[in-house]
Amino acid sequence: MEMNTRIISHEFEYFAPNSIQETLILLDQHGSEAKIIAGGTDLVSQMKMGKHTPAYIIDIKRIKELQYIAGDMVLKIGAGNNLRGVMNFFLPASVPYAGLYESIRSIGKTQVLNMATIGGNLCNGSPKADTAPPLLTYDARIKLVSLKGERILALKDFHSGPNRTIMEANELMTEIQLDKLPKGTSSAFEKKARVGADISKITCAVTVVRDGDVCRSCRIALGAAAPVPMRAFQAESMLTGKIMNDALTEETSQQVAQEINPPTVGRTHPEYRRHLAAVMFKDGFRRAWQQAGGGK
Amino acid sequence: MIAKRADTESVKAEYRVIGKPLPRHDAWGKVYGETKYSNDYKLPNMLYGKVLRSRYAAARLLSIDTRDAEKLPGVVSVMTAKDVQNNETVTRFGQTHAVGGFEGLYRVLADKKIRFKGEAVALVAAERRDIAEKAIDLIKVEYEPLEGVFDPVAAMQPGAYQVGEDKSNVICSYKVRKGNIEEGFAHADVIVENTYRVPMVDHAYLEPESGMAWLDDDGVITIRAATQVIEHFRGVADVLGLPHNKVRVIAPMVGGGFGGKEDITVETYLALLVWKTGRPVSLTYTREESIIAHGKRHPYIMRYKTGATKDGKLVAMEAELISDAGGYVYLSPWVLLYSTVQATGPYDIAHVRVDTHTVLTNNTFCSANRGFGGPQPCFAYESQLDELAKQLNLSPLEIRKRNYLHTGDAMATGRVLEHRVETEQTAEKVLEALGPPSKPKSPPEKIGRGVASSMTSYGRMMFLHDTSRSFVSLDLDGSVTVRCGVQDIGGGQASSLAQIAAEILGVPLSDVNVYIGDSALTPLAGTTTATRQLYMSGNATLKAARVVRDNLLKKAAEILNTSPENLDLKDREIFIQNHRKDTLGLKKTDPECNVNYGGTRKAVVAVETCVDDDSDRVVALEDVVKACAAEGMPLFNVAQFNAPTRELIDFKTGQGKVFADFTFGTQAIEVSVDEETGKVTVLKIVSCYDVGQAINPLSAEGQLEGGALYGLGYGMMENVIMEKGITLSPTLAEYLIPTAVDAPDVETIMIESGGGVGPFGAKGIGEPSCVPTAPALANAVSDALGVRIYELPITPEKILKALGKI
């Protein structure tokens, strides 16, 4: 039985490095037995439940090098920014990135937003991670660094299964990169949860590039709809270059519902998630489309 | 939201402290976080206790090997069933009066047969919490898993797996028989028949079960634990084979109970570990232990068949209720009896047939939870009424008005309601307050409104011969002390007692100090359960305070050369009525807003210095107290209030009187439902009760608002999900309760009929306030969508299924 005992009953060694370089050295030495802690909002409760029993904890909360948001053509977000900082950066809800802003806001709890980091939200690997769908619709890239070098890859290739990522034990996520979005872009985020402040039951992010009545492109991503945060590529392709009308939105929403891969075990019926996915796509698309304003 | 108080009669204005919205005396400590929880207490040399719990829901316990755990450095004691002197006891009911029947076996630590997952198997006391945790893992337990039974209907069948050692899983069954049910249905123009299901739910109090205990200098095991029943000291002493006066229980001022701390929680474990080690021990359940292993509200399956004539008069009701008691008996028979008596709701029905059963299964045991058997049938009978109204084309209010019981009417159990019944008025008021319907914002949104009424008993069952005691005394300076063994872990009971004493003795509330919840030092006041404390201990405190007041007035009459009947007592002065100083034109605190009692004393002194010529009519309380003291006239009293009693009802027909009185009320809810996602947004709740007399309107309003949210959780989200005895929702991430984000606007309305059996005509409100919320919600959702949900909680998924969308 996974029992949260409210205490971490195993012993571990604790490091609080001050730089990325120090962190990489520690990871190189202890990687497979170590866990990175940033905000700890996921990790600490998992440790109390005995899901992780790392011999080493590497706390990166103090590393200022990971806490920046800067750039013009490419917006670079340090992985160590807390969610509240990221949310406030996009305030007042800047139209192109409104989906990311809304996704963080949906988490609701101030304490969590102050502690949790954007890198942690992704590295935890949960298919429910609230920031993943909007970032996927922005074609976000992530930077992974180790003593052996660095690699930049698309976020869509990062998650490899429920609570798993392709990150190596000696690697640290340092940055999330977003390309500047074209004129006429807007995005929206929809979430269904059981109560006001809750883990998502299903989420959907939509980013559209609108030119009058024409949808130049539409990117759709969903959380808690498949073993990993996912893009609905086939549904997206139905809209590229099309003049929008209600029938097309409806047809696309049915494709979104078909395209997701909801868990068949658990308390939520897969048909319920499919139904919600369609409704949420429509709501999200409608909002993003209106915000985009037609470029007129 | 400021409470509205309807129907305030002119006579109420005479009260000085009663009925005033005074901030509770314990409020600031809680706001500042200074009030200590059970888990906050520490003593030098204290050990940490931990409970090993069974991995199986149904198993034979073959062997326990504690040797490795005992060898772990820092472990001081490991205990199993063989170390407990009287491990097997029988759950009994009653305090002064033994009541037979339905006695259930209860084991302190598991032995022979495991009856639910999470049953306590062994106890550990260690120097540190983490060592205790490790020691638990080192205890080797050998089980032989058994098949078990997890569905109460299956458990009732002949040949079903036997949960315990008894011959049948059926703990008990009750009946109500009134009139002739076949004849009743023959007269019905419309009959609706449905099956309703309600889930197992948790109390989700602020602090899980927790306590700290030590062996005091006097050799008494002293336990400080959040409990609704300090009188469990007797049961704890019995387990250890000690005289009752060698165990003392003290209850703190916070933690929350809602019925979950009515049964023993940590007390016996603490006493065992303290007795064995001689050292102080602290033990707090984790939230998961609390959800998995402590008593829950019973899930019910309820089949209701209700018939009405074409003009909307109910003529027949047939109901069968099956409750899942889980692994042990605990309070299940009594919860079921409450359901049985209240199965017909606040309605007058000529022909009634009710059959109820409570059944053992290998699920987590169920026991008391706010409403105690009231919320389950209310969901069913109130849903039925709306279904009938729909078929008869009557409004929900109209069908209810045609069937409400009124003062002097008899319930289905034959019991005549001799006290005030104002249900109809509460229904009219909630609908009036709900105002004009909201407009839907966009097409998939539908607006719906629902209403539900209930009658809920307050005070324990009369055959228990309930009593409460309270001590009231005046000190030489005129300050007042109340000692009463009431448990107040959040409900506000202590503050109400202070208001009663202040009213009777003519002092400001700030002059009253209340000692509560100590089984050795405060007069025993019975349990904080059954919405009984204001009724019982309020009456006991009133009685004691009146004796003190009579003595005061007798002495004052001598001083003022008049007779006591001519005297009144207010603001620390005794005066001849109608000759009070303020009638001479001197300004006093406005009696309607004397919240600012702090400065009153100074004002009195100032007034006294300038009214020398009035000294034959007024005397200071302090002077009378001193005169009484000088002459040995007692200014204290311990009073006992005995509830009215009756013998057991006739179990073949359910006829008889079980409760002293009921609280009647109605709630109305407006919802907006998104037909596309199934999401329900509660726009407004209005809750109206006849509270008899609000002793403190702020506290009463808090109960009404809290009750509505408690009921809303039941209606919308709360559900202890079990699969073959395994709890799938053991944390507050899975077991959902409404948070501030989910809380709608709750408007409360209080009718003060003065018709209750509590002090000043008060009725109890703690439990009644949560009963009709879920059916009001169900009726609102049904009104919005045109389809009904027959099973709580009403989730978006169930709504989409009912709409045929998934």
Side-chain angles (χ1 to χ4, degrees):
Chain A
M1 180 174 16
E2 277 170 5
M3 202 54 139
N4 188 336
T5 59
R6 299 285 174 270
I7 54 169
I8 296 171
S9 64
H10 81 278
E11 290 188 6
F12 54 83
E13 204 170 332
Y14 173 84
F15 299 105
N18 288 309
S19 68
I20 293 174
Q21 186 61 18
E22 279 177 51
T23 310
L24 297 181
I25 293 168
L26 287 165
L27 279 173
D28 199 56
Q29 287 167 353
H30 306 299
S32 56
E33 290 176 281
K35 271 276 171 195
I36 297 273
I37 188 167
T41 52
D42 288 313
L43 182 67
V44 172
S45 61
Q46 288 165 2
M47 286 173 71
K48 286 176 180 173
M49 283 189 269
K51 278 190 195 168
H52 297 296
T53 53
Y56 305 93
I57 290 285
I58 304 170
D59 187 346
I60 58 168
K61 193 81 181 170
R62 284 170 193 76
I63 303 178
K64 292 275 179 273
E65 288 177 77
L66 291 171
Q67 299 166 13
Y68 56 88
I69 305 180
D72 182 21
M73 288 314 290
V74 177
L75 186 65
K76 296 176 175 178
I77 304 172
N81 283 292
N82 69 27
L83 290 175
R84 193 182 170 90
V86 178
M87 183 175 82
N88 288 343
F89 179 83
F90 292 107
L91 195 74
S94 65
V95 170
Y97 296 109
L100 181 58
Y101 169 82
E102 289 167 5
S103 78
I104 298 174
R105 219 179 72 120
S106 78
I107 295 168
K109 294 168 233 175
T110 306
Q111 298 95 322
V112 173
L113 295 185
N114 283 339
M115 292 298 289
T117 63
I118 188 156
N121 194 238
L122 297 173
C123 290
N124 183 45
S126 168
K128 298 177 174 181
D130 283 313
T131 61
L135 289 172
L136 283 171
T137 65
Y138 306 145
D139 280 333
R141 294 179 299 275
I142 51 164
K143 190 198 268 188
L144 303 178
V145 185
S146 72
L147 276 188
K148 297 184 177 62
E150 66 173 54
R151 53 177 175 151
I152 292 173
L153 63 148
L155 178 62
K156 70 176 169 56
D157 300 324
F158 180 61
H159 293 87
S160 56
N163 308 311
R164 285 199 311 273
T165 69
I166 54 97
M167 199 154 78
E168 300 290 337
N170 63 348
E171 282 182 314
L172 176 72
M173 182 190 284
T174 58
E175 191 175 280
I176 294 113
Q177 301 180 349
L178 305 179
D179 287 336
K180 189 172 182 180
L181 295 168
K183 197 161 170 271
T185 304
S186 182
S187 61
F189 176 79
E190 295 285 328
K191 173 169 171 171
K192 287 290 169 279
R194 302 157 300 176
V195 287
D198 191 19
I199 297 164
S200 317
K201 182 157 260 181
I202 183 162
T203 61
C204 180
V206 181
T207 296
V208 291
V209 183
R210 177 174 174 179
D211 181 3
D213 291 337
V214 177
C215 176
R216 289 283 161 227
S217 78
C218 175
R219 293 190 289 260
I220 306 161
L222 298 105
V228 296
M230 59 162 282
R231 283 272 292 270
F233 288 110
Q234 289 178 47
E236 291 176 8
S237 67
M238 293 168 70
L239 297 176
T240 312
K242 295 280 167 52
I243 294 170
M244 287 311 303
N245 59 52
D246 287 352
L248 183 56
T249 318
E250 181 62 39
E251 204 184 320
T252 311
S253 77
Q254 292 312 313
Q255 175 57 34
V256 172
Q258 283 315 303
E259 215 164 328
I260 69 167
N261 179 18
T264 50
V265 291
R267 296 193 287 278
T268 304
H269 199 278
E271 282 312 306
Y272 175 52
R273 279 208 171 87
R274 285 192 199 282
H275 177 85
L276 283 184
V279 174
M280 290 162 66
F281 160 73
K282 282 188 281 185
D283 288 351
F285 181 84
R286 209 170 285 135
R287 286 202 299 118
W289 184 255
Q290 277 164 13
Q291 286 164 36
K296 287 173 187 166
Chain B
M1 174 65 67
I2 299 300
K4 278 188 204 148
R5 297 167 72 193
D7 206 32
T8 304
E9 292 161 26
S10 56
V11 63
K12 302 283 162 44
E14 287 179 18
Y15 294 138
R16 285 100 187 218
V17 188
I18 295 300
K20 301 286 181 283
L22 305 177
R24 261 160 64 172
H25 82 293
D26 54 324
W28 285 114
K30 288 174 179 171
V31 171
Y32 286 132
E34 287 162 351
T35 311
K36 302 250 180 320
Y37 286 86
S38 301
N39 185 53
D40 289 332
Y41 290 96
K42 287 188 171 59
L43 277 176
N45 216 22
M46 188 176 83
L47 299 170
Y48 292 88
K50 185 80 196 165
V51 184
L52 171 67
R53 301 189 174 279
S54 82
R55 295 173 53 201
Y56 297 96
R60 206 170 300 287
L61 189 57
L62 300 177
S63 69
I64 310 178
D65 182 350
T66 60
R67 284 171 297 180
D68 287 353
E70 280 159 6
K71 274 183 234 151
L72 184 71
V75 171
V76 178
S77 177
V78 182
M79 300 181 82
T80 62
K82 66 174 175 25
D83 305 307
V84 184
Q85 181 151 2
N86 297 307
N87 191 51
E88 291 190 356
T89 50
V90 168
T91 48
R92 283 193 194 87
F93 218 65
Q95 60 204 86
T96 53
H97 181 67
V99 179
F102 324 123
E103 290 174 342
L105 175 77
Y106 164 73
R107 290 196 177 101
V108 179
L109 293 174
D111 195 13
K112 297 170 192 146
K113 208 171 182 185
I114 299 286
R115 294 165 66 154
F116 71 96
K117 183 180 153 70
E119 189 171 345
V121 173
L123 303 173
V124 168
E127 302 285 353
R128 290 203 320 253
R129 212 168 260 165
D130 59 335
I131 298 173
E133 192 72 39
K134 273 210 179 92
I136 287 294
D137 290 341
L138 292 174
I139 299 172
K140 294 191 193 81
V141 187
E142 206 186 333
Y143 300 95
E144 179 199 335
L146 299 172
E147 157 200 7
V149 62
F150 307 98
D151 168 42
V153 177
M156 287 173 81
Q157 306 310 315
Y161 171 87
Q162 289 304 300
V163 174
E165 287 83 355
D166 319 298
K167 287 193 187 73
S168 165
N169 290 325
V170 179
I171 299 168
C172 74
S173 304
Y174 301 113
K175 292 181 171 70
V176 177
R177 297 289 183 267
K178 181 191 172 193
N180 180 326
I181 195 71
E182 287 79 18
E183 197 186 309
F185 283 117
H187 285 125
D189 298 307
V190 186
I191 296 171
V192 294
E193 186 171 359
N194 291 301
T195 299
Y196 298 87
R197 285 165 200 271
V198 288
M200 178 185 283
V201 300
D202 186 56
H203 312 79
Y205 13 67
L206 268 180
E207 187 181 34
E209 299 77 1
S210 175
M212 197 266 277
W214 66 96
L215 195 59
D216 219 336
D217 297 344
D218 50 10
V220 172
I221 298 175
T222 308
I223 304 163
R224 192 193 298 274
T227 176
Q228 296 173 238
V229 184
I230 55 175
E231 290 181 52
H232 283 315
F233 73 87
R234 300 191 186 99
V236 174
D238 288 341
V239 167
L240 275 79
L242 293 171
H244 287 177
N245 64 2
K246 288 291 179 190
V247 177
R248 173 182 173 191
V249 178
I250 303 170
M253 270 300 280
V254 71
F258 310 106
K261 290 166 185 168
E262 174 166 353
D263 296 300
I264 286 184
T265 62
V266 296
E267 297 97 308
T268 316
Y269 305 146
L270 283 169
L272 284 165
L273 292 171
V274 166
W275 198 238
K276 177 99 177 278
T277 63
R279 291 172 60 178
V281 181
S282 165
L283 171 57
T284 300
Y285 289 0
T286 64
R287 182 61 67 180
E288 289 80 350
E289 277 182 289
S290 178
I291 293 179
I292 292 167
H294 193 60
K296 299 281 158 288
R297 178 187 282 169
H298 298 75
Y300 276 41
I301 302 164
M302 300 173 283
R303 188 185 58 79
Y304 265 75
K305 183 176 169 189
T306 318
T309 60
K310 57 182 178 306
D311 51 358
K313 183 76 196 85
L314 294 173
V315 283
M317 179 184 281
E318 186 178 69
E320 188 188 15
L321 279 59
I322 297 170
S323 109
D324 180 354
Y328 282 92
V329 172
Y330 284 89
L331 299 170
S332 295
W334 308 112
V335 174
L336 188 73
L337 182 57
Y338 275 61
S339 298
T340 310
V341 172
Q342 298 173 27
T344 46
Y347 302 107
D348 181 22
I349 309 167
H351 305 280
V352 174
R353 182 190 176 99
V354 179
D355 288 279
T356 62
H357 315 278
T358 184
V359 188
L360 290 170
T361 65
N362 290 98
N363 293 323
T364 300
F365 76 88
C366 292
S367 196
N369 185 310
R370 194 176 191 177
F372 206 81
Q376 295 97 331
C378 187
F379 172 58
Y381 65 69
E382 284 300 79
S383 297
Q384 286 287 96
L385 221 54
D386 266 32
E387 287 299 293
L388 283 171
K390 201 162 135 188
Q391 295 206 19
L392 292 164
N393 214 9
L394 287 172
S395 76
L397 177 64
E398 193 49 44
I399 194 166
R400 284 171 175 79
K401 280 168 78 165
R402 291 181 189 185
N403 292 288
Y404 282 134
L405 288 162
H406 297 280
T407 312
D409 288 348
M411 299 168 61
T413 57
R415 183 260 159 86
V416 174
L417 297 166
E418 70 270 42
H419 303 292
R420 287 285 284 270
V421 181
E422 295 293 348
T423 329
E424 187 167 331
Q425 207 192 134
T426 64
E428 282 167 349
K429 288 200 183 302
V430 289
L431 285 169
E432 190 188 306
L434 207 54
S438 302
K439 297 258 178 304
K441 284 200 198 83
S442 55
E445 204 177 285
K446 291 272 188 295
I447 302 289
R449 310 180 128 205
V451 64
S453 299
S454 69
M455 61 187 289
T456 311
S457 61
Y458 64 97
R460 299 180 85 186
M461 294 172 285
M462 298 174 83
F463 53 77
L464 294 174
H465 296 210
D466 197 11
T467 67
S468 172
R469 283 162 242 171
S470 186
F471 167 99
V472 175
S473 76
L474 265 169
D475 214 312
L476 287 179
D477 63 352
S479 63
V480 175
T481 298
V482 176
R483 293 195 191 100
C484 181
V486 57
Q487 302 82 186
D488 181 354
I489 49 177
Q493 291 86 355
S495 208
S496 296
L497 300 186
Q499 265 183 279
I500 291 167
E503 175 71 36
I504 298 300
L505 296 174
V507 299
L509 185 59
S510 55
D511 273 6
V512 184
N513 203 18
V514 186
Y515 292 90
I516 59 159
D518 184 329
S519 71
L521 300 181
T522 53
L524 296 179
T527 61
T528 295
T529 68
T531 307
R532 67 177 281 288
Q533 280 296 3
L534 177 62
Y535 162 42
M536 296 295 297
S537 298
N539 273 328
T541 303
L542 180 63
K543 203 172 159 188
R546 277 187 174 147
V547 172
V548 176
R549 178 187 169 106
D550 286 350
N551 287 349
L552 272 178
L553 294 188
K554 205 186 280 172
K555 176 51 65 186
E558 282 173 28
I559 296 170
L560 296 171
N561 202 14
T562 182
S563 68
E565 304 84 71
N566 295 334
L567 294 176
D568 197 2
L569 183 53
K570 185 183 173 186
D571 297 345
R572 289 176 149 260
E573 285 179 327
I574 300 173
F575 53 91
I576 297 174
Q577 290 188 65
N578 304 322
H579 284 278
R580 201 154 178 270
K581 277 174 291 187
D582 39 348
T583 62
L584 304 175
L586 291 162
K587 271 236 174 325
K588 294 281 292 186
T589 319
D590 177 3
E592 280 305 306
C593 57
N594 42 10
V595 182
N596 287 322
Y597 263 121
T600 312
R601 279 174 77 170
K602 208 189 273 173
V604 171
V605 173
V607 169
E608 273 168 3
T609 55
C610 61
V611 289
D612 278 352
D613 54 341
D614 198 41
S615 58
D616 57 335
R617 294 198 184 112
V618 181
V619 59
L621 173 69
E622 209 171 320
D623 295 340
V624 182
V625 169
K626 283 183 179 134
C628 286
E631 289 175 27
M633 189 181 266
L635 285 178
F636 73 91
N637 186 260
V638 192
Q640 174 163 318
F641 176 73
N642 293 340
T645 60
R646 278 286 191 290
E647 293 322 303
L648 278 170
I649 56 166
D650 176 355
F651 283 115
K652 285 194 281 298
T653 61
Q655 297 295 304
K657 191 169 175 180
V658 182
F659 301 106
D661 193 21
F662 296 86
T663 300
F664 302 86
T666 305
Q667 295 185 19
I669 293 185
E670 185 177 68
V671 296
S672 144
V673 187
D674 184 326
E675 280 193 315
E676 289 292 319
T677 63
K679 185 179 163 63
V680 176
T681 306
V682 177
L683 302 174
K684 190 171 183 182
I685 302 182
V686 186
S687 174
C688 178
Y689 283 81
D690 173 13
V691 302
Q693 164 70 47
I695 301 299
N696 184 335
L698 287 179
S699 287
E701 181 191 336
Q703 286 289 347
L704 293 185
E705 288 179 353
L709 281 188
Y710 201 87
L712 190 65
Y714 192 46
M716 290 186 81
M717 60 193 81
E718 297 192 35
N719 191 3
V720 176
I721 302 164
M722 302 212 79
E723 200 176 289
K724 289 205 171 288
I726 298 166
T727 305
L728 301 179
S729 51
T731 74
L732 291 178
E734 288 121 358
Y735 184 81
L736 304 168
I737 60 172
T739 68
V741 189
D742 307 293
D745 188 8
V746 181
E747 181 173 341
T748 60
I749 305 168
M750 288 180 251
I751 292 171
E752 296 179 287
S753 70
V757 295
F760 307 97
K763 291 188 175 224
I765 193 64
E767 292 178 274
S769 61
C770 76
V771 173
T773 324
L777 174 83
N779 287 340
V781 170
S782 171
D783 179 46
L785 302 175
V787 295
R788 179 162 293 279
I789 313 292
Y790 299 93
E791 184 182 338
L792 296 181
I794 298 171
T795 60
E797 193 168 348
K798 283 181 196 161
I799 286 173
L800 291 182
K801 262 192 199 131
L803 289 172
K805 301 219 170 185
I806 54 171

